[in-house]
Amino acid sequence: MNRSRQQRRAIALAGGGPLGAIYEVGALMALSEALDGFDFNDLDAYVGVSAGGFIAAGLASGLSPAYLYRMFIDGEEAELPFEPELLLRPALREFALRAGSVPGLLADALRELLRNPLRPDPMASFARLARAIPAGLFDSEGIDELLVRLLARIGIANDFRRLPRRLYLVATELDSGRSVVFGTPGFDRVPVSRAVQASAALPGLFPPVNIGGHWYVDGALKKTLHASVALKEGARLVFCINPLVPFDAQLAVSERHMPHRHLVDGGLPAVLAQTFRAIIHSRMKTGLAKYEIEYRDADVILFEPRSDDADMFFSNVFSYADRKRLALLAYRRTREELLRRHDELAPKLARHGVSINRTVLEMPHGVPARRVVSLAHRRAGAIGRAALDLSDTLDDLARALRRRAHPGANRAAA
């Protein structure tokens, strides 16, 4: 990889929990199939936030999008599957720690009451006792454990400094509110797996993660994508994938994607989900507008779901059937987006030696859909570098055979 500064390429992946990871994998499958001259395992920088950090770490370690599909979506066929249930283990250690503080907090509240028996302050007493509320409901240690096992299986060190490619994982330092980019000098001695766990520690769901005496939470608290990390490193072509967009229920009803309903009917989870999506999406649009001004010589290309995709808002990611359906939806939507935006994207990509293969994109949906499924069922054999290289070689061979069968493909993509 000896690209000049003007040719440097990167990817920035936003968060979104298991749903976000599933969408990103499906989108990556479509992009890797349709883009000629762009290899998602041979980039100059990988930036990940929250769930996107896990996917970015996988790509930077040499895992192909097809391998990630097997791992995250088709777990029944994967040798090391990702089970979303590992994110629902109660944070027993956090519960025990907070429970142990209750007697002392009650004693403090009682002493305060005895000091001012005629002027009790119930709100102050409540605030004191609120310290006993757990800082998170679920244990995120499973994220660290899974990535440790994965990197060991493929023979990659759990060390930013020894990865094949530059990886940057963003978290938020709780006590200062500042963004910290693990993988940069001074923050590259942290194990990759631990940095992913910190970046994904969504407040309220997961307790903050302690690294070197500092507490970290989800990296999306400050920015949605953090594509600026790659741009500051000199990347001039940055693909961005953001899985979470505000859901437009009215548009979904008008397009007959769902029966008439209001999001409030879904209760607090639906209201909070829509609120969170609206906040991070608005902030992301502001950031992208700034990139256009500050990095005029760079091309930042964003892919995200449509706002009327009811499946992306209401699906159950704990169901294998739903996972496969959502990944296929992301795959198809990304293909459609590439075709729709071809005239806009082709000149930008051409500046970086990349082209869109229209022949591949114009195949009937049935052909690529079967290919996605076949990739999911194709085992990697003995997990290791040789197996991963073989998987990618087979993908390249299939792509070359298609081009030979359609000799006009390269001219159409130019």
Side-chain angles (χ1 to χ4, degrees), residues 17-247:
L19 176 67
I22 291 167
Y23 179 86
E24 287 172 347
V25 170
L28 286 168
M29 291 284 287
L31 292 171
S32 64
E33 184 180 65
L35 296 179
D36 290 336
F38 195 92
D39 184 349
F40 282 96
N41 293 121
D42 186 25
L43 304 183
D44 299 276
Y46 297 81
V47 181
V49 183
S50 195
F54 202 117
I55 305 300
L59 293 172
S61 301
L63 300 180
S64 68
Y67 185 97
L68 292 171
Y69 181 95
R70 289 191 294 273
M71 180 178 181
F72 276 89
I73 288 91
D74 204 5
E76 295 170 339
E77 293 296 324
E79 297 184 10
L80 186 60
F82 168 79
E83 298 288 354
E85 290 83 356
L86 70 80
L87 301 178
L88 295 180
R89 300 187 307 199
L92 298 178
R93 184 183 305 173
E94 174 69 12
F95 295 162
L97 176 66
R98 300 293 173 171
S101 70
V102 171
L105 294 173
L106 285 173
D108 289 344
L110 181 59
R111 280 193 294 270
E112 181 66 26
L113 179 62
L114 292 175
R115 277 197 296 267
N116 300 285
L118 300 180
R119 299 175 60 187
D121 188 346
M123 292 305 297
S125 298
F126 175 79
R128 186 177 287 107
L129 292 173
R131 300 174 191 172
I133 299 175
L137 299 176
F138 303 109
D139 184 0
S140 63
E141 292 293 332
I143 298 174
D144 182 25
E145 296 166 4
L146 179 62
L147 197 49
V148 166
R149 293 170 55 202
L150 175 63
L151 293 175
R153 281 190 177 227
I154 62 175
I156 297 295
N158 190 12
D159 187 328
F160 284 97
R161 297 162 297 176
R162 297 171 61 190
L163 288 177
R165 301 287 181 263
R166 298 299 301 273
L167 171 66
Y168 303 100
L169 301 171
V170 187
T172 305
E173 187 182 44
L174 183 62
D175 290 328
S176 67
R178 68 188 181 103
S179 293
V180 170
V181 183
F182 292 109
T184 56
F187 294 96
D188 54 0
R189 296 180 181 275
V190 176
V192 173
S193 58
R194 191 70 170 168
V196 171
Q197 181 189 358
S199 180
L202 184 64
L205 285 183
F206 304 113
V209 176
N210 189 340
I211 299 177
H214 297 267
W215 296 92
Y216 296 95
V217 293
D218 197 304
L221 265 64
K222 295 293 293 287
K223 292 182 181 179
T224 303
L225 278 166
H226 289 276
S228 58
V229 174
L231 292 168
K232 290 175 182 177
E233 289 294 312
R236 289 300 171 261
L237 174 60
V238 183
F239 277 95
C240 301
I241 303 179
N242 171 49
L244 300 184
V245 299
F247 178 57

